[in-house]
């Protein structure tokens, strides 16, 4: 196994002899075999151990065992303890995710402050197989079928070539002591269920399952490389980025196939999930102006483009003075255009009103419960909330609906309907056109 270990390191350029490597050692069989192999290979190493305080005396026993091994072999050893359960509760995480966040944050601190060049973890081939099966169960994309990466930044995984069985055989052949984690023998966690139930069943179909999957990782890696190259070419052809504004040409979607998947592969970087991308594609031929949101960004389905920007949080009421030509409010820009040419507008995002009836300053604000106006063509008041329901405005879009007021009266539900009292009539001599469009912060 030592020769395979060194070949794996060389093949993937994981580390050099002059690297100073921090080993994440739990005390379990995998990390103890990794420690032994690094020692046999003559690398400069140190040990890092986390006590997550989840298994009482067993966890303390693991910590004592690792400290003892380090002392006996004169290896520098760093240890820490976490209140993992409390951290998980405060941050609304599963225990597994909390432990992951805590340990990698601490590992990074030790690597940085102590001058290590690499962090080595003891993930092996079966860990990678289990990860792929978990991704498959939860509907991952192709990225999820490439297995655990051999290296990422300064993190290396020098045991990914070895199966769990091979590691056990090596440990026994070299009389390597380790601590058994009792939680690995239960079916409480999804990974353990796959380990103890699913993989044994699959191995009845293919006894060489691990190594078959290992070869497939190489195939998937090549397919991913082609996918990323294709996405780069697609981006070059259809995407324009200017400051924080991203413009996607809708011409691509004419006659294309698997549009949602292509769009998601680009937009996932901005927090959009696949379901939202399906909704975006479904809306492409509908009314322009529809908005979609991720946790950090918004996407507007414009006439010829999809427009992506960071979300804007500024929603304080905007005051518009006479002769003012531009205004910004939240995610919207407004252009104000007085004119002596009396001409009605048919554009959804434009309102052309009788200038004589408008008293400045105007207030531009979000609509609120209780707001009412006289929709164009109607002689009675209607609540804005009812108007939005009748016009099937989605819950997400309602949050960005704004109104323009003159002396406390709504003259326009922006982008939807003007007030009937401010419409152009036969006596109108001058008009003011208000036009709204998406606001893209620089």
């Amino acid at each position: 196994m030592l020769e395979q270990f060194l070949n794996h390191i060389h093949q993937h350029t994981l580390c050099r002899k002059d690297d100073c490597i921090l080993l994440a050692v739990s005390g379990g069989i995998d990390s103890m075999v990794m420690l032994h192999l690094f020692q046999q290979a003559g690398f400069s190493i140190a040990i890092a151990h986390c006590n997550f305080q989840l298994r009482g005396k067993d966890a303390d026993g693991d910590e004592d065992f690792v400290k003892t091994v380090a002392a006996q072999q004169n290896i520098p050893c760093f240890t820490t303890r976490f209140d993992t359960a409390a951290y998980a509760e405060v941050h609304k995480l599963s225990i597994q995710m909390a432990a992951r966040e805590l340990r990698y944050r601490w590992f990074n601190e030790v690597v940085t402050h102590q001058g290590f060049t690499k962090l080595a973890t003891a993930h092996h081939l079966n860990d990678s197989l289990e990860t792929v099966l978990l991704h498959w169960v939860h509907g991952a994309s192709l990225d999820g079928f490439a297995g655990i990466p051999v290296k990422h930044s300064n993190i290396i995984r020098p045991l990914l070539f070895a199966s769990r069985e091979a590691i056990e055989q090596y440990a026994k052949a070299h009389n390597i002591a380790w601590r058994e984690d009792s939680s690995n023998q239960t079916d409480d966690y999804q990974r353990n269920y796959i380990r103890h139930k699913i993989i044994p069943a699959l191995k009845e179909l293919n006894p060489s399952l691990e190594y078959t999957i290992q070869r497939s990782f190489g195939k998937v890696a090549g397919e991913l490389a082609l996918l990323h190259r294709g996405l780069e070419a697609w981006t070059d052809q259809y995407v324009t980025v200017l400051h924080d504004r991203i413009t996607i040409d809708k011409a691509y979607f004419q006659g294309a196939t698997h549009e949602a998947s292509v769009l998601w592969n680009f937009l996932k970087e901005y927090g959009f999930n696949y379901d939202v991308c399906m909704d975006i594609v479904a809306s492409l031929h509908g009314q322009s102006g529809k908005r979609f949101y991720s946790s950090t960004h918004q996407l507007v389905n414009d006439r010829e483009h999809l427009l992506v920007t960071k979300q804007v949080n500024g929603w304080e009421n905007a005051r518009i003075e006479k002769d003012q030509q531009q205004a910004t409010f939240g995610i919207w820009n407004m252009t104000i255009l007085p004119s002596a040419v009396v001409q009605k507008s048919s554009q959804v995002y434009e309102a052309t009103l009788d200038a004589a009836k408008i008293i400045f300053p105007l207030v531009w604000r979000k609509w609120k419960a209780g707001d009412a106006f006289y929709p164009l063509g109607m002689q009675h008041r209607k609540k804005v909330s009812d108007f939005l329901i009748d016009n099937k405005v989605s819950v997400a879009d309602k949050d960005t609906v704004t109104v323009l007021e003159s002396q406390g009266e709504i003259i326009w539900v922006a982008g939807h309907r003007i007030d009937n009292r401010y419409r152009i009539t036969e006596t109108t001599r001058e008009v003011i056109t208000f036009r709204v469009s998406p606001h893209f912060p620089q």
Side-chain angles (χ1 to χ4, degrees):
M1 180 178 278
L2 178 60
E3 183 178 353
Q4 291 176 300
F5 175 76
L6 292 172
N7 286 340
H8 179 73
I9 288 175
H10 175 73
Q11 178 185 352
H12 297 285
T13 320
L14 300 187
C15 54
R16 303 188 306 267
K17 281 291 185 178
D18 59 349
D19 276 314
C20 193
I21 306 167
L22 183 67
L23 310 185
V25 178
S26 67
I29 187 172
D30 309 329
S31 60
M32 295 307 295
V33 165
M34 180 178 70
L35 171 61
H36 187 272
L37 287 167
F38 268 112
Q39 287 179 292
Q40 294 299 304
F43 284 92
S44 175
I45 58 173
I47 289 172
H49 176 83
C50 303
N51 184 340
F52 297 104
Q53 302 189 87
L54 294 171
R55 296 181 294 112
K57 293 182 179 180
D58 284 344
D60 295 340
D62 292 346
E63 181 180 348
D64 292 339
F65 170 72
V66 172
K67 286 180 176 178
T68 299
V69 169
Q72 290 173 346
Q73 301 183 23
N74 197 30
I75 302 172
C77 183
F78 304 88
T79 63
T80 191
R81 292 189 172 199
F82 300 118
D83 189 344
T84 311
Y87 183 88
E89 183 176 357
V90 169
H91 295 276
K92 309 299 182 187
L93 298 171
S94 68
I95 290 293
Q96 294 93 330
M97 287 303 299
R100 175 183 172 81
E101 282 192 10
L102 288 167
R103 69 175 176 268
Y104 278 106
R105 184 185 304 161
W106 180 68
F107 288 153
N108 186 60
E109 291 174 359
V110 176
V111 166
T112 302
H113 296 152
Q114 300 297 327
F116 294 102
T117 53
K118 303 289 182 181
L119 168 69
T121 68
H123 294 95
H124 52 71
L125 184 53
N126 285 75
D127 290 326
S128 200
L129 171 57
E130 291 159 11
T131 297
V132 166
L133 290 175
L134 279 170
H135 286 164
W136 176 72
V137 168
H138 294 293
S141 67
L142 186 60
D143 285 329
F145 293 92
I148 298 173
V150 175
K151 59 183 176 181
H152 177 69
S153 185
N154 65 342
I155 301 173
I156 61 174
R157 299 183 173 98
L159 288 189
L160 277 182
F161 71 93
S163 68
R164 181 177 286 111
E165 182 180 0
I167 289 171
E168 290 174 353
Q169 291 174 354
Y170 183 86
K172 292 174 182 177
H174 292 82
N175 297 315
I176 298 172
W178 73 85
R179 293 272 297 180
E180 195 64 57
D181 183 348
S182 59
S183 67
N184 287 335
Q185 304 306 316
T186 72
D187 293 334
D188 293 344
Y189 304 124
Q190 292 181 0
R191 182 177 290 275
N192 283 343
Y193 183 84
I194 286 177
R195 180 178 303 168
H196 299 303
K197 301 290 187 181
I198 305 302
I199 290 179
L202 292 175
K203 291 194 71 169
E204 291 182 10
L205 298 175
N206 180 3
S208 301
L209 178 67
E210 292 93 344
Y211 294 102
T212 300
I213 294 297
Q214 185 180 39
R215 288 196 300 274
S216 78
F217 290 158
K219 298 175 186 176
V220 172
E223 290 164 358
L224 282 171
L226 290 173
L227 171 64
H228 294 153
R229 184 170 294 183
L231 185 62
E232 289 175 1
W234 180 88
T235 302
D236 289 342
Q237 184 172 356
Y238 294 104
V239 178
T240 303
V241 179
L242 180 62
H243 302 298
D244 287 333
R245 173 176 172 167
I246 300 159
T247 303
I248 303 172
D249 189 348
K250 288 168 64 174
Y252 162 75
F253 299 98
Q254 297 176 7
T257 58
H258 309 294
E259 305 101 309
S261 179
V262 173
L263 188 61
W264 174 73
N265 271 283
F266 177 76
L267 289 180
K268 62 185 178 181
E269 177 183 348
Y270 305 99
F272 292 91
N273 62 39
Y274 183 73
D275 288 341
V276 172
C277 290
M278 290 182 67
D279 291 341
I280 293 169
V281 170
S283 77
L284 289 176
H285 303 295
Q287 181 178 334
S288 63
K290 189 170 179 60
R291 295 173 180 275
F292 301 86
Y293 298 93
S294 72
S295 60
T296 57
H297 287 72
Q298 62 174 337
L299 179 146
V300 178
N301 178 12
D302 203 9
R303 292 179 180 85
E304 298 178 355
H305 302 91
L306 299 177
L307 309 174
V308 184
T309 60
K310 291 181 179 179
Q311 288 197 43
V312 178
N313 296 318
W315 284 103
E316 293 188 8
N317 293 356
R319 182 183 173 95
I320 299 174
E321 303 288 351
K322 189 175 179 61
D323 299 326
Q324 185 173 334
Q325 296 181 338
Q326 297 284 337
T328 299
F329 177 48
I331 62 173
W332 300 105
N333 278 331
M334 181 180 286
T335 303
I336 303 98
L337 302 170
S339 175
V341 178
V342 179
Q343 184 175 354
K344 295 181 181 179
S345 172
S346 60
Q347 299 298 318
V348 173
Y349 287 94
E350 285 186 359
T352 301
L353 308 177
D354 190 324
K357 299 174 182 177
I358 297 173
I359 307 299
F360 286 88
L362 307 180
V363 174
W364 188 18
R365 61 172 176 81
K366 271 191 170 185
W367 78 280
K368 61 179 184 290
D371 278 345
F373 75 126
Y374 291 78
L376 180 65
M378 298 177 62
Q379 300 300 318
H380 61 271
R381 287 164 58 88
K382 189 179 187 72
K383 287 186 176 180
V384 172
S385 58
D386 293 336
F387 170 81
L388 296 176
I389 291 172
D390 291 346
N391 284 270
K392 298 180 180 180
V393 177
S394 71
V395 173
D397 288 338
K398 283 181 184 178
D399 190 52
T400 62
V401 171
T402 63
V403 296
L404 190 62
E405 285 184 335
S406 174
Q407 289 194 313
E409 292 183 346
I410 293 175
I411 64 176
W412 184 32
V413 178
H416 292 276
R417 192 75 58 85
I418 67 171
D419 187 286
N420 194 61
R421 296 167 295 178
Y422 293 83
R423 73 189 188 282
I424 296 173
T425 67
E426 293 179 355
T427 61
T428 300
R429 295 295 177 263
E430 292 184 347
V431 297
I432 302 178
T433 297
F434 301 91
R435 181 183 301 140
V436 292
S437 58
H439 164 57
F440 300 100
Q442 300 300 314

